[in-house]
Amino acid sequence: MTRLTALMSAMAATTGLAACLPALAQQSEFVPVTDAMLQDPDPADWLMWRRTLNNWGFSPLDRIDRGNVNELQLVWTRRLADGDQEGTPLVYRGVMYFPNPGDITQAIDATTGDLIWEYNRGMPDDVGEYFPAPATNRNIAIHGNVILDNGADGYAYALDAATGELAWETFILDYRAGAKNSSGPIVANGKVISGRSCEPEGGPEACVITAFDARTGEELWRTRTIPRPGEPGDETWGDVPYEERWHVGMWMVPSFDPELNLIYVGTSVTSPAPKFMLGGNQEQHLYHNSTLALDGDTGEIVWYLQHVVDHWDLDHPFERLLIDTEVAPNPDEVTWINPLVRAGETRKVITGIPGKTGLVYTLDRETGQFLWSRETTPQNVIESVNIESGAATVAPEKLFTAAGQELLICPSTRGGKNYPAGTYSPLTGLMYFPLQNTCMMSTSAAEEPSLDDLYAIRNRNVIAPGMDDVGTIEAISVATGETAWKFEQRSGVLSLISTGGGLVFGGDVNGRFRAYDQDNGDILWEVNLGSPVNGYPATYEVDGRQYVAVSTGGSGLVFGLGSLTPELQTGFGNQLYVFALPD
């Protein structure tokens, strides 16, 4: 169901009223955003979650560099709405659009922090009864003259970028079926693409990635991640009835290759996690914990690779980096290499750390062929990776076989890797990842699946045995898999971006926001923001001046990581900060 409306939507009293005159002035000057602009954005802008559709998190801006970054100063700050806060600024032609918790969108003057307009969609009063952390909103998108997002109420919607008026809204799924939209969309050739979490009460039909027309909101396709009877993959669920196949979600943001017209998205664990109670440990349960390549026009699954059959809630939904690179994995540092790889050949690859296990996977993004994989943080669940197929063999001693068993599992559900995003710099050929050194004592909590017990495991998180530091930033060569440098610290680390100035910006759970040297990890600048730096950073330029933006706030991840370092006490305020060099 799609509704077009010309009525002004209600403005929030939560964080301020709309500024009507600036909005009207902007409307007459607004330049629509095209697909060509999204596929090759102006260096001054930050037009999506990781700035580009390949999810690099890289900006070519270089006015702030290794020589002057220590002069950065705060130029403005703004209070954000309450709730789990993991937002990403979207900046276009001097206007910042920011997704506050609770489906509140603000348009802000990116140079002063002054409010231009605000849209408060509002969340249903009972939404928290159906899934956890309903206020989370990681990102928004832009296309034409609209800002695009997903609501906790189960709708995709578009706002006029100049005024904040609701342009269209389209029903996706009933939120009371446990379908959660914690991440916003990307736009791929005019299609608004996003996946979602899917609680068990929604059944298999809730586990979908969807495409809508960015102009009208018309639904174009939806693809399920749980096969129906008779479809390919149906047999991988054993004797589990279709209606009892639960929770293969896509709760992070896809990437897109316009040349191949392929959308890449990662999937989550099943519910429950231990497979002995879900058809048996011998089954695959497609398409959980997989990388999916989808046809951009139809949503059809073109190829997939399942990384590991997951028994512990070690999801694999995180960012996939799309890079054209030499493929020459060094066997001294890369454990699993496909024998068909010819060192030095150039490939279109999809790479990164897709899951909580912390393993790097590099695949051919045209075909899905496995190329190489290696470990980063401590892990004990994957015994080996098949060097031809890329499928993991699970360590048999880490499989639950009955209720009440307790196992040491590394990493914990915090990761390894989690939603804090890594970045790739074409200047160095390195990808930089925020990682956590964690494990958990995990206990299987049931004999049978239940709607009342999402994962059917109970976890007690600990720092990995033999280690004192939780957080690690690791710089890894895309071509060789070699580690260029590592930075380790007591506190957990959060999202990163890289820039043309030779810098990597990132924050941590203890409230520090830093600039690192891209070549060696040296800290070149640091500020204490007083709360976990849980938002995704961005950098942009207006009138020749470069700015760096980041936000603070809480979430289940940062609370959990913070509990591992109780001596590091910080606040949990939701705040947006913007820095620049002195005028």
Side-chain angles (χ1 to χ4, degrees):
M1 176 179 65
T2 301
R3 294 190 298 174
L4 296 173
T5 177
L7 299 176
M8 174 71 82
S9 46
M11 294 295 153
T14 307
T15 54
L17 297 174
C20 297
L21 292 178
L24 293 174
Q26 184 196 0
Q27 186 177 32
S28 63
E29 302 168 0
F30 190 85
V31 177
V33 175
T34 64
D35 288 303
M37 294 162 67
L38 293 174
Q39 292 167 19
D40 185 19
D42 188 316
D45 295 329
W46 194 280
L47 293 184
M48 65 196 76
W49 178 53
R50 303 301 291 157
R51 189 180 169 273
T52 47
L53 290 163
N54 52 26
N55 277 352
W56 288 5
F58 170 80
S59 168
L61 295 179
D62 60 4
R63 292 182 185 274
I64 301 170
D65 60 29
R66 286 175 285 192
N68 60 24
V69 68
N70 62 338
E71 301 174 31
L72 276 185
Q73 298 177 350
L74 180 69
V75 293
W76 62 265
T77 183
R78 188 171 192 89
R79 180 78 172 92
L80 299 172
D82 294 332
D84 282 12
Q85 203 296 112
E86 304 168 24
T88 310
L90 188 156
V91 185
Y92 176 56
R93 295 172 66 90
V95 177
M96 177 184 293
Y97 303 90
F98 196 87
N100 280 247
D103 292 342
I104 297 170
T105 306
Q106 292 177 323
I108 304 164
D109 185 309
T111 64
T112 66
D114 293 334
L115 184 68
I116 297 171
W117 57 254
E118 182 176 282
Y119 171 83
N120 186 348
R121 185 166 184 83
M123 297 193 305
D125 293 338
D126 61 348
V127 68
E129 299 176 14
Y130 297 98
F131 46 79
T136 304
N137 191 5
R138 295 186 181 94
N139 66 291
I140 51 182
I142 189 170
H143 189 270
N145 65 346
V146 293
I147 301 297
L148 300 146
D149 203 0
N150 299 318
D153 58 0
Y155 282 78
Y157 61 93
L159 307 175
D160 187 293
T163 67
E165 296 178 12
L166 184 66
W168 58 256
E169 59 180 10
T170 302
F171 179 71
I172 307 173
L173 288 163
D174 189 339
Y175 71 89
R176 291 166 295 186
K180 178 183 177 183
N181 300 285
S182 59
S183 294
I186 61 168
V187 179
N189 287 337
K191 301 177 185 67
V192 187
I193 310 289
S194 63
R196 51 206 38 83
S197 300
C198 44
E199 301 294 302
E201 55 266 37
E205 298 293 321
C207 301
V208 294
I209 182 171
T210 54
F212 300 96
D213 185 298
R215 184 177 59 85
T216 66
E218 176 189 2
E219 181 172 325
L220 302 175
W221 52 256
R222 66 174 58 197
T223 298
R224 290 170 291 100
T225 53
I226 298 177
R228 288 174 175 156
E231 292 181 341
D234 170 41
E235 71 286 353
T236 66
W237 286 77
D239 60 0
V240 179
Y242 177 65
E243 62 274 10
E244 296 176 15
R245 301 173 183 181
W246 300 336
H247 196 66
V248 180
M250 295 152 286
W251 52 273
M252 288 298 293
V253 187
S255 50
F256 176 59
D257 184 328
E259 181 181 345
L260 299 177
N261 194 30
L262 291 178
I263 295 155
Y264 303 93
V265 66
T267 60
S268 76
V269 67
T270 60
S271 173
K275 300 300 184 289
F276 77 87
M277 65 178 75
L278 192 67
N281 286 341
Q282 75 283 355
E283 304 293 353
Q284 277 186 275
H285 305 88
L286 291 176
Y287 293 94
H288 89 279
N289 274 32
S290 299
T291 295
L292 306 179
L294 309 178
D295 184 290
D297 292 332
T298 66
E300 177 186 359
I301 298 175
V302 176
W303 60 258
Y304 74 91
L305 187 142
Q306 185 178 51
H307 297 279
V308 63
V309 177
D310 182 358
H311 306 258
W312 323 273
D313 184 24
L314 299 181
D315 287 350
H316 277 61
F318 308 126
E319 71 276 7
R320 271 69 172 167
L321 308 177
L322 311 183
I323 303 170
D324 295 351
T325 180
E326 178 186 6
V327 179
N330 182 348
D332 292 335
E333 294 201 41
V334 176
T335 309
W336 300 289
I337 303 172
N338 191 320
L340 297 178
V341 169
R342 297 292 174 260
E345 63 183 334
T346 297
R347 295 270 198 127
K348 296 179 181 295
V349 307
I350 178 171
T351 189
I353 301 180
K356 293 178 183 177
T357 57
L359 269 67
V360 179
Y361 288 87
T362 297
L363 316 175
D364 185 298
R365 72 174 182 268
E366 294 187 78
T367 65
Q369 180 188 31
F370 171 79
L371 300 177
W372 60 266
S373 180
R374 56 154 290 193
E375 298 168 303
T376 56
T377 55
Q379 70 87 22
N380 64 9
V381 295
I382 293 177
E383 189 174 75
S384 64
V385 174
N386 185 296
I387 59 175
E388 295 180 343
S389 71
T393 297
V394 172
E397 68 274 14
K398 298 304 177 183
L399 291 173
F400 294 111
T401 57
Q405 294 174 335
E406 184 180 60
L407 301 172
L408 175 65
I409 301 298
C410 301
S412 78
T413 55
R414 314 294 183 196
K417 180 71 167 63
N418 210 297
Y419 66 74
T423 181
Y424 167 73
S425 172
L427 304 182
T428 62
L430 299 176
M431 44 189 175
Y432 307 84
F433 295 110
L435 304 168
Q436 325 300 335
N437 302 309
T438 70
C439 296
M440 60 187 177
M441 296 304 302
S442 187
T443 303
S444 54
E447 288 286 357
E448 297 180 351
S450 168
L451 293 176
D452 299 322
D453 200 340
L454 181 58
Y455 299 117
I457 49 178
R458 301 289 179 268
N459 299 325
R460 178 171 59 85
N461 292 282
V462 297
I463 299 175
M467 307 188 77
D468 295 318
D469 292 329
V470 175
T472 296
I473 298 173
E474 187 161 359
I476 298 172
S477 169
V478 168
T480 68
E482 298 168 338
T483 295
W485 55 261
K486 289 177 73 171
F487 172 85
E488 296 182 299
Q489 65 169 35
R490 179 74 171 148
S491 178
V493 292
L494 299 168
S495 294
L496 307 172
I497 62 170
S498 54
T499 76
L503 300 168
V504 174
F505 286 96
D508 69 19
V509 175
N510 196 34
R512 269 58 178 181
F513 184 52
R514 298 187 177 109
Y516 302 89
D517 188 309
Q518 67 178 8
D519 292 332
N520 53 35
D522 288 350
I523 298 172
L524 303 178
W525 172 81
E526 176 178 340
V527 63
N528 183 357
L529 299 180
S531 297
V533 187
N534 202 30
Y536 297 90
T539 185
Y540 58 93
E541 187 175 277
V542 183
D543 295 331
R545 191 181 191 193
Q546 184 181 353
Y547 299 80
V548 179
V550 75
S551 55
T552 62
S555 69
L557 174 66
V558 298
F559 296 145
L561 292 174
S563 70
L564 298 176
T565 55
E567 79 280 8
L568 302 177
Q569 298 187 17
T570 186
F572 289 99
N574 290 356
Q575 194 81 12
L576 177 60
Y577 297 90
V578 174
F579 302 89
L581 297 174
D583 274 336

